[in-house]
Amino acid sequence: AFKIQAKLEQFNPAHWGNLPVGRIDAEMTASGNLSPMLQMQLQLPSLSGELAGQKLNGVADLSWKQAGQQNAALKLDQLRLGWGANEFTAQGKLGAENDVVQMHLQAENLALFETVTGFAMGGKANLKLDLKGKLNALIAKGTLAAEQLKLPGGVQIGQLNSDFTLGTAANAAID
């Protein structure tokens, strides 16, 4: 068994690599067992501060269980990350055939992501996604709406509205 507790105070990611300047405070607990079955839980009850001049906040509570190669499960009791005008949320579980994780990204300022990815991008995007199934055969079904989208390579799209279904299995359909 293991348990790790950590606390960040005024953490600046720029000191650790080619990352934006920040001032991040967070508390985290990771616990679990490595055998006979791998079990881990991560709790991030508070994340706050600033990154690239934008307010940063969030919480997370997730767990992972795995017994052998084919029997794994992910449970997201809560995941919420906010950065400037952007927010990502996810909740649910994956591992069994009918399990679902619901995700939502409301990105009012995609240009912020360039500071952490290095990829030129811009515009607004709203992504709603249901990720369903076993981890080795996931199906993603969602909607994407974007405005003034700017992507790497000089790609620009004024408006995009899409409903889609994608699967990771070899015989999965793409709609």
Side-chain angles (χ1 to χ4, degrees), residues 23-91:
R23 192 183 82 260
I24 301 171
D25 298 319
E27 295 179 24
M28 181 206 65
T29 301
S31 59
N33 294 302
L34 301 177
S35 69
M37 178 173 74
L38 178 64
Q39 293 181 293
M40 292 187 280
Q41 182 161 0
L42 175 67
Q43 294 175 311
L44 182 73
S46 69
L47 170 70
S48 61
E50 191 175 282
L51 183 63
Q54 300 292 314
K55 184 179 175 183
L56 181 68
N57 60 69
V59 294
D61 188 356
L62 58 101
S63 60
W64 175 264
K65 293 180 182 180
Q66 184 169 354
Q69 294 289 332
Q70 300 298 318
N71 190 7
L74 171 67
K75 183 177 179 192
L76 295 169
D77 287 323
Q78 180 180 28
L79 176 60
R80 184 188 52 75
L81 298 171
W83 183 27
N86 303 315
E87 183 165 275
F88 175 76
T89 60
Q91 188 171 10

